[in-house]
């Protein structure tokens, strides 16, 4: 049966059958979900033709705009050739070529690609691989993971256990494995006059102490390099990663870099680890991997880790993890088309100018009486609203100030999705100057409105 779609009808049908992610569904009694009919570039359009600037890249996945012609073309071709094939015992060109290219462009020690189909799964793979590596080495006492306060690594139980955002984690605590949590290098905590580097270096002491005390029972340290995105876009200095790499080597512990959100140019370099000049033992990628088109993820490992699983079958050392859609050809093809755009358009260089424009458009935000900090790492810019600027006292969370800014920006035609009271921009890389100004205007007005009593 054909339904004539309109904003109203789609909202109603949606509320009859859907359960939305990360949503208190009762909120939709007053604010229904926004029905989107089509997308183009940074724009999303509803059934009345109202447009929304996607300032958060649809949960950080989109890199080169919606309905991107190059990615579309690559997918149409792939779809008519091979949509999917089992990756156990079989292989295909997109999976091989993508792995070759990822090995080439990621930090040098990473030589192997294990595919999965979303970010959380890539994290689960990394955790299992690390534990299993030590087990294969005869070190069965290594069963724990070290994680940073305020970190986020996904929502499945293993990934949730190594994260530390209470809002997502607390409810499920009884179901989660026990982890060792150490101070975050978050530079929002820096002392007056302290540099980012000095702050992150000072906060490393807790990590070092924990490694000294627990290395014998620890498989790996897992971190989000440079930006704790879901943890309110808190940022830190690359020096922390350098110190961590050295310490992990010293204490015989793996370093897992979760670049699911920060990979593919978000922090100003293709991968955030580059800014510290380090190579992790395991690296998780997803989100921007397919340019925001299809769910695909990859966990890259060093040759050393790979070799610890490589043996006669009878020795039972193989990594027997799988997902039905592992290495899906359409996802891999979208990823290849995305990498082609990075190369063809010298995106990393072009983004430097975009990042400067975002900084320029928000230069006055820091003076707002309820803005504690405007912080930026590459193509991620965040604005933290507080009740009291001098003491950095937050607004009571129940007041949902960020939500007020969200609703205002929506009316203005800009999709922001504040994390609590932190408004941030993480736009597709095809945004232009005028659109940056529009995005900043909507945020500024949203802040005025949200912080008024
Ligand atoms: C989004 C995210 C994940 C989880 O990815 P999903 O595809 O949503 O499961 C893991 N780690 C980080 C750092 C993320 O931002």
């Amino acid at each position: 049966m054909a339904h004539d779609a309109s904003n109203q009808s789609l909202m109603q049908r949606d509320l009859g059958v859907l359960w939305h992610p990360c949503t208190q569904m009762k909120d939709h009694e007053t604010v229904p979900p926004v029905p989107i009919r089509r997308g183009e570039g940074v724009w999303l359009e509803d059934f009345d033709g109202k447009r929304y600037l996607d300032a958060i890249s649809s949960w950080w996945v989109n890199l080169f705009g919606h309905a991107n012609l190059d990615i579309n073309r690559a997918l149409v071709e792939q779809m008519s050739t091979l949509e999917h094939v089992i990756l156990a015992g079989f292989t295909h060109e997109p999976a091989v070529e993508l792995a070759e290219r990822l090995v080439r462009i990621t930090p040098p020690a990473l030589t192997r690609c294990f595919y999965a189909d979303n970010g959380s799964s890539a994290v689960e793979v990394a955790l299992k691989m690390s534990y299993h590596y030590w087990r294969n080495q005869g070190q069965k006492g290594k069963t724990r993971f070290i994680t940073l306060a305020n970190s986020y690594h996904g929502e499945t139980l293993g990934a949730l256990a190594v994260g530390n955002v209470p809002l997502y984690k607390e409810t499920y605590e009884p179901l989660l494995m026990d982890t060792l949590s150490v101070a975050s290098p978050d530079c929002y905590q820096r002392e007056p006059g302290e540099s980012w580097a000095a702050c992150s270096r000072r906060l490393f002491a807790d990590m070092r102490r924990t490694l000294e005390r627990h290395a014998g029972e620890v498989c790996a340290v897992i971190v989000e390099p440079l930006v704790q995105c879901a943890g309110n876009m808190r940022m830190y200095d690359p020096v922390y990663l350098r110190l961590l790499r050295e310490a992990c080597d010293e204490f015989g512990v793996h370093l897992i870099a979760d670049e699911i959100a920060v990979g593919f140019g978000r922090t100003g370099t293709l991968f955030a680890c580059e800014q510290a000049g380090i190579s992790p033992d395991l690296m998780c990628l997803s989100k921007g991997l397919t340019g925001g088109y299809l769910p695909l993820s990859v966990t890259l490992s060093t040759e050393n880790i790979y070799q610890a699983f490589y043996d006669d079958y009878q020795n039972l050392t193989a990594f027997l993890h799988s997902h039905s859609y592992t290495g899906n050809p359409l996802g891999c093809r979208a990823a290849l088309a995305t990498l082609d755009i990075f190369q063809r358009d010298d995106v990393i260089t072009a983004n430097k100018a975009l990042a400067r424009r975002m900084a320029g458009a928000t230069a006055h935000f820091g003076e707002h009486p309820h803005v504690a900090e405007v912080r930026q790492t590459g193509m991620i810019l965040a604005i933290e609203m507080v009740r009291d600027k001098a003491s950095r006292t937050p607004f009571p969370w129940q007041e949902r100030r960020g939500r007020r800014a969200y609703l205002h920006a929506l009316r203005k035609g800009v999709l922001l999705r504040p994390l609590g009271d932190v408004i941030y921009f993480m736009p597709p890389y095809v945004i232009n100057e005028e659109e940056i100004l529009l995005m900043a205007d909507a945020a500024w007005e949203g802040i005025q409105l949200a912080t008024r009593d």
Side-chain angles (χ1 to χ4, degrees), residues 215-247:
E217 48 174 332
V218 168
C219 306
V221 176
I222 181 165
V223 297
E224 295 158 274
L226 301 190
V227 187
Q228 297 187 307
C229 292
N232 291 356
M233 298 291 167
R234 293 293 177 81
M235 301 173 182
Y236 61 93
D237 191 272
V239 71
Y240 189 89
L241 296 172
R242 255 193 315 275
L243 295 171
L244 180 58
R245 175 68 280 181
E246 286 166 17

Side-chain angles (χ1 to χ4, degrees), residues 385 395 401-402 404-405 423 445-453:
M385 297 188 289
F395 287 108
R401 303 270 176 164
R404 296 189 206 171
I423 294 173
E445 288 181 18
I447 292 165
Q448 301 277 42
L449 210 94
T451 56
R452 201 176 294 155
D453 267 12

Side-chain angles (χ1 to χ4, degrees), residues 60 118-120 152-154 224 258 260-261 287:
W60 323 340
N118 64 74
S120 303
Y152 177 89
H153 298 288
E224 295 158 274
D258 175 354
I260 288 165
K287 292 206 165 103

Side-chain angles (χ1 to χ4, degrees), residues 284-357:
C284 304
L285 301 173
S286 187
K287 292 206 165 103
L289 174 62
T290 63
Y293 263 68
L294 287 157
L296 179 74
S297 65
V298 60
T299 303
L300 289 112
S301 87
T302 60
E303 197 60 20
N304 177 43
I305 291 179
Y306 174 75
Q307 287 299 335
F309 293 79
Y310 195 91
D311 203 348
D312 294 327
Y313 184 84
Q314 286 72 9
N315 292 331
L316 295 177
T317 57
F319 189 59
L320 300 180
H321 182 105
S322 62
H323 295 286
S324 313
Y325 282 98
T326 295
N328 174 257
L330 291 166
C332 292
R333 185 57 74 194
L336 287 166
T338 299
L339 292 181
D340 285 343
I341 298 172
F342 267 106
Q343 230 166 10
R344 185 194 66 196
D345 296 349
D346 194 7
V347 171
I348 297 299
T349 305
N351 279 0
K352 291 196 197 333
L354 285 181
R356 274 196 303 275
R357 293 215 171 96

Side-chain angles (χ1 to χ4, degrees), residues 37 108 136 145 150 173 229 244-245 254 276 287 299 328 342 354 366 368 374 414 418 425 438:
R37 179 178 56 176
N136 282 352
F145 295 92
N150 192 46
E173 203 75 68
C229 292
L244 180 58
R245 175 68 280 181
H254 290 145
K287 292 206 165 103
T299 303
N328 174 257
F342 267 106
L354 285 181
H368 191 282
V374 179
V414 177
F425 306 140
L438 174 66

